[in-house]
Amino acid sequence: MVPQAPAAARPPDTEQRIFDAALTVFARKGRDGARLREIADHAGINRALLHYYFRTKEQLYEAVFEHGCRQFMTGLSQSLRAEEGVEDSLRAFVYGYIDYIYEHQDMARLMLNECLCGGGVLERHLAAAIEARDGVPGLLLEDRLHAAVEAGEIREIDLRHTLLTIVSACLFPFVALPTVRLFHSRAVEDFDRFLRERKAHIVDLLLAGLRPAEVGVGRGELA
Amino acid sequence: MVPQAPAAARPPDTEQRIFDAALTVFARKGRDGARLREIADHAGINRALLHYYFRTKEQLYEAVFEHGCRQFMTGLSQSLRAEEGVEDSLRAFVYGYIDYIYEHQDMARLMLNECLCGGGVLERHLAAAIEARDGVPGLLLEDRLHAAVEAGEIREIDLRHTLLTIVSACLFPFVALPTVRLFHSRAVEDFDRFLRERKAHIVDLLLAGLRPAEVGVGRGELA
DNA sequence: GTCTATATCTCGATAGAC
DNA sequence: GTCTATCGAGATATAGAC
């Protein structure tokens, strides 16, 4: 699939530049909406070169998606190291997850774009990437939470939904950034600070929400 | 912009059918990825009719987006009625929000699609829709929460982030459905039940997370 | 208002020089 | 490996009959 590069000297690495440019454009415009013209311009190369490295637009998309998915899932798993306690595990997950998405926003957008137009391709590639690594990154946290429930460290609660809520809270602000900016001015002024606040907020809210109910205080009721 | 319809008899209402079909297709494929062919087929009419009602693809998109945005925001505001207490307000928001998104999934996806490709158009139209109704739906809940903080009914917490977390938890499952299905089998088997559980979960987690800390229990620490 | 036929343009893909 | 030139398919848009 990949033409041989000269063994010595790899100045701009054209293939990688195409790959990155394609990821960016596909993430914004989607599989059909993306134009090879735009990808070539973004990579600073000629349109014909796209066909030299990846024969067709379809194959380029497949390559970007498959390789991107695999790398994304692997990297995410590695950045979500297990911790001893529940609290540390939760904190590590939220901080690691947001940091990782921050560094791979285009891939996150690309996957969401696939979700919008059906998700068939995504499900297939995600399943493959998961199988190759045998394990969904989030499930590690779910196991931790499950053990914590049995140990009485956190209250009984639907963990699948809890995990989905955590992921939603971490991920959504990235994919919906333009909307978030409308009523969260800090996200436009100082995105890094916004993310720091966001991480702290999510952990804070979750820890409080998962804490076992004290005796005498009905669950699900405010003071 | 709109040709006169015969005063009597409005059998299929072609314009509305085009509108709905365009919304669906644009939501999935995006502004550039969408094909007029597909929209026409989906609406069950000839391609030339698209140009009769809306001159160009661009104008069709603009019309769908602008009108859709306005209607979406207005309807959302109306379905989020104010309640007396904080708890009822929160519950009403979550339930109303999810129910509303459920009935307007295409519009939600269309807006997210715009977010993915920059969001310039979205910000403009959203701002206009908000100004026309003078008020962001979510801000009503934020005011309620703010008052509740001052009354000591909920603990001190960043309300902007809290509101963003609530919206994320409600909205994300819809736009990321194919991914959610991977590890939430119930979302594929019985979506309605999944949503009922989701609503209850979000309210439950939030109420617990916002409850004022009891004396003797450090905030942000598990038991 | 709705259709068929057609014009025009853009995109993806290929051929061939360098 | 990289470029220019070009072909053919498919998309948007228009003209004109009904």
Side-chain angles (χ1 to χ4, degrees):
Chain A
M1 183 228 282
V2 179
Q4 283 304 330
R10 186 168 299 175
D13 197 350
T14 307
E15 190 181 5
Q16 187 62 39
R17 294 240 310 279
I18 294 177
F19 209 89
D20 296 340
L23 175 59
T24 301
V25 176
F26 278 130
R28 295 187 202 295
K29 304 297 185 61
R31 178 188 212 116
D32 298 326
R35 303 292 148 199
L36 291 184
R37 168 68 178 245
E38 197 177 349
I39 295 176
D41 289 352
H42 205 277
I45 51 107
N46 191 277
R47 261 176 293 155
L49 265 190
L50 293 181
H51 293 94
Y52 176 76
Y53 281 93
F54 310 84
R55 286 193 58 76
T56 69
K57 181 187 184 182
E58 203 65 15
Q59 287 183 44
L60 173 58
Y61 184 83
E62 288 290 326
V64 167
F65 207 97
E66 181 180 338
H67 186 253
C69 257
R70 195 186 311 277
Q71 212 170 289
F72 184 83
M73 296 301 282
T74 302
L76 185 56
S77 293
Q78 290 173 346
S79 70
L80 298 180
R81 298 256 55 91
E83 297 290 334
E84 273 303 312
V86 216
E87 191 171 331
D88 286 340
S89 294
L90 179 66
R91 185 174 286 110
F93 183 89
V94 171
Y95 278 66
Y97 200 90
I98 288 184
D99 283 339
Y100 191 76
I101 298 295
Y102 178 76
E103 298 292 337
H104 301 80
Q105 296 186 44
D106 281 339
M107 194 59 216
R109 295 198 180 96
L110 180 64
M111 292 194 291
L112 199 72
N113 222 321
E114 265 296 321
C115 282
L116 291 179
C117 57
V121 183
L122 176 63
E123 284 189 57
R124 187 161 47 80
H125 282 140
L126 256 192
I130 287 171
E131 193 172 356
R133 271 233 10 120
D134 72 323
V136 183
L139 293 187
L140 204 127
L141 176 63
E142 194 180 344
D143 290 343
R144 270 282 185 288
L145 293 176
H146 190 70
V149 168
E150 301 211 326
E153 294 173 332
I154 65 177
R155 68 193 178 95
E156 294 221 15
I157 191 171
D158 188 321
L159 292 182
R160 278 284 158 85
H161 275 288
T162 302
L163 193 64
L164 178 55
T165 299
I166 297 173
V167 171
S168 301
C170 292
L171 201 43
F172 187 76
F174 285 101
V175 295
L177 236 182
T179 301
V180 172
R181 286 197 174 116
L182 269 182
F183 50 103
H184 219 132
S185 59
R186 187 158 293 158
V188 63
E189 298 160 4
D190 187 345
F191 192 47
D192 288 344
R193 183 175 164 194
F194 167 79
L195 287 183
R196 282 199 302 276
E197 292 175 350
R198 181 109 199 105
K199 292 180 212 167
H201 161 80
I202 294 174
V203 171
D204 174 45
L205 188 66
L206 260 289
L207 287 180
L210 296 177
R211 191 184 305 144
E214 277 77 27
V215 284
V217 178
R219 182 190 301 162
E221 290 173 23
L222 295 175
Chain B
M1 183 226 287
V2 179
Q4 284 303 331
R10 186 168 298 174
D13 197 349
T14 307
E15 190 181 5
Q16 187 61 40
R17 294 241 308 282
I18 295 177
F19 211 89
D20 295 340
L23 175 58
T24 301
V25 177
F26 277 131
R28 296 189 200 294
K29 304 298 185 61
R31 178 189 213 116
D32 299 324
R35 303 290 146 201
L36 291 184
R37 168 68 179 241
E38 196 177 349
I39 294 175
D41 289 352
H42 204 278
I45 51 106
N46 191 277
R47 263 174 292 154
L49 265 189
L50 294 181
H51 294 92
Y52 175 76
Y53 282 93
F54 310 85
R55 287 192 58 77
T56 70
K57 182 186 185 183
E58 202 65 15
Q59 285 183 45
L60 172 58
Y61 184 82
E62 288 288 326
V64 167
F65 207 97
E66 181 180 338
H67 186 251
C69 259
R70 197 186 310 277
Q71 213 170 288
F72 183 83
M73 296 301 281
T74 302
L76 184 56
S77 293
Q78 289 173 348
S79 71
L80 298 179
R81 297 257 55 90
E83 296 290 333
E84 273 302 312
V86 215
E87 191 172 328
D88 286 340
S89 294
L90 179 67
R91 184 174 286 110
F93 183 90
V94 171
Y95 278 65
Y97 200 89
I98 288 184
D99 282 339
Y100 190 77
I101 298 295
Y102 179 76
E103 298 292 337
H104 299 80
Q105 296 185 43
D106 282 338
M107 195 58 216
R109 294 199 181 96
L110 180 64
M111 292 194 291
L112 198 73
N113 220 320
E114 265 295 321
C115 281
L116 291 178
C117 59
V121 183
L122 176 65
E123 285 190 57
R124 188 158 48 79
H125 282 141
L126 256 192
I130 287 170
E131 195 172 357
R133 272 230 14 116
D134 70 322
V136 182
L139 294 187
L140 204 128
L141 176 62
E142 194 180 341
D143 289 344
R144 270 281 185 289
L145 293 177
H146 190 70
V149 169
E150 300 212 326
E153 293 173 332
I154 65 177
R155 67 192 177 95
E156 295 221 14
I157 192 172
D158 187 322
L159 293 181
R160 278 284 157 86
H161 274 287
T162 301
L163 192 64
L164 178 55
T165 299
I166 298 173
V167 170
S168 301
C170 293
L171 201 42
F172 187 76
F174 285 101
V175 295
L177 234 183
T179 301
V180 171
R181 287 197 174 116
L182 269 182
F183 48 104
H184 220 130
S185 58
R186 186 158 294 158
V188 63
E189 297 161 4
D190 187 345
F191 192 47
D192 288 345
R193 183 175 165 195
F194 167 79
L195 287 183
R196 282 198 302 276
E197 292 175 350
R198 181 107 200 106
K199 291 179 212 169
H201 161 81
I202 295 174
V203 171
D204 174 45
L205 187 66
L206 260 291
L207 287 180
L210 296 177
R211 192 185 305 142
E214 277 80 27
V215 284
V217 177
R219 180 189 305 163
E221 288 173 24
L222 295 176

